[in-house]
Amino acid sequence: VSPKPLSYEQLLGIFACLALALVAHIGSLPVWVLVTAAVSGGIRLLLARRDHAAPPRGVRLVIAGLAIGLLFLQFRTFNGLSAGTALLALMAGLKLLETDRQRDIYVITLIIYFVGMSALLEGDSFWLLAYLIGVCWLTTATLLRVTTTLPITDWQRSLRYAGRILSQALPLALVFWLLFPRFAGPLWQTPDDGRSAGSGLSDTMSPGDITELALSDDVAFRVRFETAAPPPQERYWRGPVMHDFDGHTWRRGYPVSMGPPALQPQGRAYRYTLSLEPHEHNWIFALDWPSHWDLPRGVLTTDYTLVQPDPVSRPIDVGATSYTRVQWPEPLGNLSRRKDTAPPNRNPRTVQLAHTLRAAHSDDMEYVRAVLGMFAQQQFYYTLRPPKLADNSVDSFLFDTKRGFCGHYASAFAALMRAAGIPAHVVTGYQGGTFNRFANYWILRQSDAHAWDEVWIDGRGWLRIDPTSAIAPERVEHDLSDAASADEPLSSRWQRRTPWLADARLRLDALRELWRERILLFDQDSQQKLLEWLRIPEPDGQKLVILLTVALTLVLCWLTWAVRREVDPARKEPLIRAYSRLCAKLTAAGIPRLPH
Amino acid sequence: VSTLRQAATDKLRAWAARRHGRDSLPIKINRRRIYILPTRFGVMLALTLVAMLIAGLNYNSNLGLAFAFLMVSVALVTMHHCNRNLLGLQVDVATEVDAFAGREASFEFVLQNDSDVDRRDVEIRCMSASGIRSVPARSSESVPVAVPVLRRGVTRFVQFELRTRYPFGWFHAWTYVQGSLIAYVAPSPHGSRELPAAGGLGSVSPSETRGDEDFAGLRAYEAGVPLKHMAWKVLARGGEAAVRSYSSLAAQPEWLEWSSLEGQDTETRLSQLCLWVLESEAAQRLYGLRIPGREIAPARGAAHRFACLRALAAYGIGEPR
């Protein structure tokens, strides 16, 4: 290592690379870490600009000690992705502060590479990968300029050389990536990385607090049916079920560890693969009613929601079979009945209304129809911008505002059922979906989130009632969105009006799905399929390693050849080669090439 | 650790010398003689890559793994590029160089690059001295390497080293060349005696001996010749730079005699003679050297000067084969 001092330009280059790598972490790292890194780099740059050396050792040590202490106070650990990345980012920033020699730059480039990779552990988009490879390219070019003893004058040249090395590395990287054996689970558990902020549904529902339902177009999951898809009125994807109602908010209630009640499937079975996006909750949105699933640790709760022990924090694929029509051979358990007939607290007018209606309709089904008829005939409106409801949310909705979305209707309906002694609960999940005809799968977006009810009718079992669909179509407020009744998925109005835009979007989503399927979820199974595709009998891990070795040897041979070919003086440009061939032919034809 | 490392390097040098035998210069560096190892920075990189791989596997992140594998591959490609930076280079060295005891023997290495790629940061190392140059595609560069020499005599360097850390400084590729570099280390030029007069007629200062009237012919230009003696017309006609030569008193041969320095020890005498050789050459005189066992007929010019210095260097030691 030559003790050559660093120039301002070199410092600027490495600082820019570090900043670009940290940009990928905005949102996942504490802001003060990023700010500290940026500020210490900036200070060093200012000093270098004025030809000062790095600040004295004592100052640096104090700053480093403070920052790392603060970091530990925040994370309580340095293990785990966020804490580790934060520590590295901080170290890189502080290292920049003390950068005086090439050696320090070396360390910073290594940190940049690592920080870049750790961003990919959290993110999963193609663009992030492309961006970080770009950062890696730039860093490598900067490294080239820093490490050469004799300066390279133009940036273009170093970028071109670094790019050349990267492109020669691609085939090798591909072989590694395809054939390096994957493990089934993590090597060791890392602490929760603070990614608990889930998306989509939650385990409570209080429609009264929401004054504007933002419809997000984020994909919740995708479904590929092996058989024909069920009709829209049967495409209900079950999420958490709400039992506890305090008059304002619905909650899941304590899990009942009884196992699900028995049911008899009827009609045809639907086999499908659910491709779930991470949502940080432990439920899996199976089609009602799930009967089989290939999720080793997946179980059904008493209320028939498919759950797994850990939250879904990575994209997963779940194959499952469901029946949309079932029979309930056993009567409702006492505990469940008691839970689902708990009166709707704090809503006296609702209870009053229920009693009045119940007096007129003693049969359970008739009572249900009467309530739905009330929603259809009275001036109830469907809107995504409902007024805020008072504490007694059902009273407030049914008698005062009469405007709401699926949550309002499901909540009010269940309350009316319970007040009449009919077991009822609210089911949240997704409904409908958009078919992607370009790649033959269904997309369910956050805007397809839905809430409906289930009531227990003696002799028939749990019956799905979707009170939102009872609202007359003319009372759906079109000016807010093209949101229609629950039978139709809510999607943005632009796409409905411009079909080609919708098509382009579907195609884009098909690409995204391909990326997810082929790249993000590449695992042992995929490797096995790859070996089968290569006609290797009885594929296993050992054969994979052998194949990896063989492929690596071949690619390395190619690499050696490709790299050495460039210094072979016998190598000629294609034009010159063609010219000498022409000369040889002419000579053969009796026209020798003249000495000049 | 450094002594251990030194020992390992010495072993390797000896082994390489046995393996490749003596090389005749110029030599083209082939792939069999290029060795490569990661530098300390390269080892740090390797550790980082291992950490990246473990993180990628632990989080089951295919994108993280893709990035880590890309970096691993970049390191492997870089290894090939580092190796290539020396591959096919042709190296030669001019050994006829001045060397005086206590100063340096300044060898001129010539690196020739016949390929279409630039060779950057190629270092030539001989003993503790080194020179570093970049050789652009299809060109050659000379690399001066000043090796310190302490004692008068014939110093032979049997091995020199070409090395490079280009690109990125992750790897260190090197090769040993067993070309013998011989430095005739002349005695350090000093002494108190004045230059003996030409033909034994006593000391005459050079300026007086240079009469314009005694033009004797042309000789090749050498640095340090007074401008008024330049043959400008020859130069203007497109000929080589030449200097008019004059037959004057200086044309009388002058003998630099060992025997004239009676009563001094060997090295002092040699130093004095060395100084005289340099002075006589600078003064454009005809001079001869007479030391025990060797007599060099009067002449002048670079080759003559070099022959005299070489005789002084080898005095009492014998010419190497």
Side-chain angles (χ1 to χ4, degrees):
Chain A
V1 179
S2 73
K4 181 175 67 153
L6 294 166
S7 70
Y8 172 72
E9 190 233 26
Q10 288 173 330
L11 278 172
L12 185 67
I14 209 73
F15 177 64
C17 292
L18 180 64
L20 287 175
L22 288 181
V23 161
H25 281 281
I26 287 180
S28 67
L29 284 187
V31 175
W32 69 267
V33 169
L34 299 176
V35 168
T36 308
V39 165
S40 42
I43 290 176
R44 181 73 186 94
L45 276 183
L46 274 178
L47 289 176
R49 190 89 207 229
R50 294 174 187 174
D51 284 333
H52 292 304
R57 197 182 162 78
V59 176
R60 296 186 321 233
L61 276 177
V62 168
I63 295 176
L66 277 179
I68 289 168
L70 206 55
L71 195 68
F72 190 74
L73 279 182
Q74 178 153 9
F75 285 97
R76 301 269 162 206
T77 174
F78 290 132
N79 191 6
L81 193 57
S82 303
T85 308
L87 183 67
L88 275 181
L90 211 54
M91 269 169 56
L94 297 174
K95 194 83 197 161
L96 212 51
L97 194 63
E98 68 161 2
T99 303
D100 243 351
R101 290 165 304 153
Q102 268 184 323
R103 218 188 116 92
D104 301 323
I105 295 261
Y106 292 168
V107 175
I108 294 177
T109 56
L110 295 182
I111 292 181
I112 292 175
Y113 290 137
F114 196 91
V115 163
M117 197 232 32
S118 73
L120 285 168
L121 298 182
E122 287 172 333
D124 51 14
S125 87
F126 167 77
W127 300 113
L128 184 65
L129 181 67
Y131 173 77
L132 286 168
I133 289 179
V135 171
C136 165
W137 179 22
L138 209 61
T139 310
T140 312
T142 311
L143 181 64
L144 183 69
R145 299 174 70 79
V146 175
T147 48
T148 45
T149 316
L150 305 166
I152 301 176
T153 42
D154 55 331
W155 262 101
Q156 241 181 3
R157 218 193 173 98
S158 22
L159 276 175
R160 209 163 43 222
Y161 189 66
R164 191 175 180 77
I165 286 187
L166 268 180
S167 60
Q168 282 177 338
L170 279 179
L172 204 57
L174 187 71
V175 166
F176 269 125
W177 188 82
L178 278 177
L179 300 176
F180 194 86
R182 302 295 206 278
F183 302 113
L187 303 178
W188 72 84
Q189 288 291 333
T190 44
D192 183 27
D193 287 324
R195 301 207 302 159
S196 48
S199 62
L201 304 181
S202 72
D203 46 11
T204 64
M205 185 185 89
S206 59
D209 292 341
I210 297 170
T211 54
E212 180 160 358
L213 189 64
L215 291 187
S216 145
D217 275 341
D218 291 347
V219 173
F221 55 97
R222 297 180 178 84
V223 187
R224 201 182 286 275
F225 283 100
E226 284 172 32
T227 49
Q233 67 270 18
E234 291 180 359
R235 281 203 307 272
Y236 282 82
W237 307 93
R238 196 180 189 86
V241 179
M242 312 283 165
H243 299 279
D244 283 3
F245 186 50
D246 63 2
H248 187 81
T249 303
W250 287 87
R251 293 191 173 80
R252 296 183 71 192
Y254 295 107
V256 186
S257 54
M258 290 191 309
L263 52 70
Q264 280 174 357
Q266 287 200 311
R268 57 181 304 179
Y270 292 100
R271 293 237 307 257
Y272 54 93
T273 307
L274 268 181
S275 304
L276 272 171
E277 294 295 328
H279 58 78
E280 304 301 335
H281 297 292
N282 62 348
W283 47 76
I284 314 282
F285 300 100
L287 186 69
D288 261 349
W289 306 79
S291 70
H292 295 94
W293 49 92
D294 61 6
L295 196 65
R297 297 164 75 201
V299 288
L300 279 184
T301 58
T302 316
D303 43 24
Y304 265 87
T305 304
L306 183 56
V307 293
Q308 63 171 21
D310 311 312
V312 180
S313 52
R314 307 201 55 78
I316 53 166
D317 271 8
V318 181
T321 307
S322 294
Y323 293 87
T324 52
R325 288 171 205 182
V326 290
Q327 270 197 340
W328 302 84
E330 290 169 17
L332 186 62
N334 278 334
L335 191 62
S336 293
R337 182 178 289 273
R338 211 164 44 243
K339 250 178 121 72
D340 280 356
T341 47
N345 300 319
R346 289 188 286 178
N347 289 293
R349 288 154 84 192
T350 306
V351 176
Q352 187 62 44
L353 173 69
H355 288 165
T356 318
L357 276 173
R358 187 63 165 168
H361 309 279
S362 59
D363 180 59
D364 287 354
M365 264 329 274
E366 268 183 45
Y367 176 76
V368 167
R369 273 186 218 108
V371 171
L372 289 178
M374 178 189 80
F375 285 145
Q377 283 145 29
Q378 293 188 18
Q379 295 292 305
F380 282 99
Y381 287 89
Y382 181 90
T383 178
L384 296 176
R385 288 185 186 169
K388 195 168 166 36
L389 298 180
D391 223 18
N392 46 350
S393 65
V394 180
D395 274 9
S396 177
F397 168 67
L398 281 179
F399 299 100
D400 303 333
T401 67
K402 300 199 174 193
R403 305 159 75 84
F405 50 82
C406 58
H408 295 78
Y409 289 95
S411 162
F413 183 85
L416 281 168
M417 291 299 129
R418 288 183 171 195
I422 302 174
H425 50 231
V426 176
V427 186
T428 59
Y430 294 83
Q431 198 271 331
T434 315
F435 186 62
N436 190 338
R437 65 178 185 281
F438 301 110
N440 197 30
Y441 63 84
W442 292 81
I443 310 167
L444 282 111
R445 302 180 186 282
Q446 293 304 343
S447 51
D448 295 323
H450 195 48
W452 61 91
D453 297 290
E454 275 168 355
V455 291
W456 179 270
I457 307 292
D458 287 324
R460 294 182 64 178
W462 285 112
L463 212 62
R464 183 193 309 124
I465 307 288
D466 189 346
T468 316
S469 61
I471 314 300
E474 68 270 16
R475 276 187 264 115
V476 171
E477 292 188 347
H478 281 279
D479 57 318
L480 297 172
S481 150
D482 277 346
S485 69
D487 277 341
E488 239 180 329
L490 311 164
S491 52
S492 94
R493 86 188 103 149
W494 277 44
Q495 284 166 51
R496 202 169 302 234
R497 293 191 187 153
T498 43
W500 61 269
L501 199 66
D503 278 5
R505 219 176 109 123
L506 286 180
R507 279 184 193 278
L508 199 67
D509 193 78
L511 277 182
R512 221 173 274 147
E513 162 62 12
L514 202 66
W515 169 258
R516 181 181 182 286
E517 188 74 30
R518 294 287 157 83
I519 309 290
L520 297 183
L521 293 181
F522 189 85
D523 58 3
Q524 278 179 335
D525 271 2
S526 325
Q527 287 182 326
Q528 174 154 357
K529 276 180 198 141
L530 183 71
L531 291 194
E532 276 164 11
W533 182 76
L534 289 170
R535 320 237 161 201
I536 292 170
E538 294 168 45
D540 57 14
Q542 198 181 342
K543 283 188 178 138
L544 189 69
V545 172
I546 293 171
L547 187 63
L548 174 67
T549 317
V550 171
L552 274 187
T553 314
L554 287 178
V555 175
L556 280 173
C557 284
W558 165 81
L559 184 68
T560 311
W561 173 80
V563 170
R564 286 196 182 146
R565 192 176 54 119
E566 289 172 358
V567 296
D568 185 3
R571 186 179 75 118
K572 290 174 186 162
E573 294 305 315
L575 194 66
I576 298 174
R577 225 165 29 219
Y579 178 68
S580 46
R581 259 206 313 276
L582 179 72
C583 287
K585 271 186 190 162
L586 286 177
T587 312
I591 312 167
R593 189 182 160 189
L594 295 173
H596 57 269
Chain B
V1 174
S2 73
T3 54
L4 203 70
R5 198 170 148 161
Q6 190 57 48
T9 312
D10 290 345
K11 270 248 162 72
L12 183 64
R13 281 168 176 280
W15 177 77
R18 278 200 305 279
R19 181 173 170 218
H20 300 298
R22 253 177 108 162
D23 300 312
S24 58
L25 295 171
I27 185 173
K28 200 160 200 165
I29 307 299
N30 66 16
R31 64 196 162 85
R32 285 189 54 241
R33 60 193 309 148
I34 301 176
Y35 308 101
I36 191 161
L37 274 179
T39 57
R40 194 184 306 173
F41 177 36
V43 172
M44 271 155 53
L45 174 79
L47 292 177
T48 309
L49 290 178
V50 168
M52 280 162 79
L53 283 178
I54 290 177
L57 284 174
N58 196 45
Y59 283 86
N60 243 327
S61 158
N62 275 315
L63 294 192
L65 279 179
F67 191 86
F69 284 137
L70 184 67
M71 285 311 299
V72 170
S73 308
V74 164
L76 286 174
V77 172
T78 301
M79 190 175 83
H80 282 79
H81 277 250
C82 184
N83 181 289
R84 184 190 75 178
N85 204 32
L86 294 181
L87 188 68
L89 262 184
Q90 191 167 304
V91 57
D92 199 358
V93 64
T95 48
E96 303 230 323
V97 290
D98 277 356
F100 298 100
R103 297 195 218 161
E104 295 124 357
S106 181
F107 294 111
E108 281 281 307
F109 288 86
V110 177
L111 290 175
Q112 191 176 334
N113 178 8
D114 291 330
S115 70
D116 290 332
V117 290
D118 296 352
R119 314 303 182 96
R120 295 202 149 267
D121 280 12
V122 179
E123 188 184 359
I124 294 182
R125 218 180 160 82
C126 187
M127 304 303 283
S128 58
S130 71
I132 188 162
R133 280 283 182 285
S134 293
V135 194
R138 301 208 174 274
S139 65
S140 62
E141 283 280 334
S142 69
V143 190
V145 177
V147 185
V149 277
L150 294 176
R151 290 187 17 237
R152 179 192 70 87
V154 181
T155 307
R156 177 190 296 216
F157 304 102
V158 291
Q159 197 177 48
F160 62 92
E161 188 183 341
L162 258 70
R163 52 204 262 172
T164 186
R165 293 157 65 103
Y166 180 84
F168 312 137
W170 291 338
F171 293 95
H172 163 212
W174 76 100
T175 181
Y176 297 118
V177 180
Q178 277 66 239
S180 84
L181 304 179
I182 299 169
Y184 293 95
V185 184
S188 155
H190 61 79
S192 49
R193 301 272 189 104
E194 281 192 20
L195 204 55
L201 291 176
S203 169
V204 183
S205 84
S207 60
E208 286 172 75
T209 62
R210 290 267 161 106
D212 286 35
E213 63 279 7
D214 301 319
F215 180 68
L218 292 174
R219 60 188 169 84
Y221 168 76
E222 280 169 61
V225 173
L227 282 179
K228 64 174 189 171
H229 291 162
M230 288 286 292
W232 293 113
K233 281 179 190 158
V234 178
L235 192 64
R237 264 180 265 132
E240 298 227 330
V243 179
R244 280 171 292 175
S245 175
Y246 302 93
S247 65
S248 64
L249 287 176
Q252 300 295 317
E254 153 207 340
W255 282 98
L256 309 175
E257 301 256 16
W258 171 269
S259 53
S260 70
L261 297 165
E262 241 14 282
Q264 295 182 339
D265 66 41
T266 311
E267 291 303 320
T268 318
R269 278 176 162 185
L270 290 171
S271 284
Q272 181 67 67
L273 286 170
C274 180
L275 181 67
W276 282 349
V277 167
L278 298 184
E279 282 176 351
S280 304
E281 185 63 32
Q284 307 289 340
R285 292 187 181 189
L286 276 173
Y287 60 96
L289 179 69
R290 210 176 273 143
I291 52 175
R294 190 82 197 269
E295 183 178 312
I296 298 176
R300 64 182 154 213
H304 176 63
R305 172 179 174 277
F306 187 75
C308 293
L309 291 178
R310 188 167 157 167
L312 291 174
Y315 174 77
I317 294 161
E319 286 281 313
R321 52 185 172 89

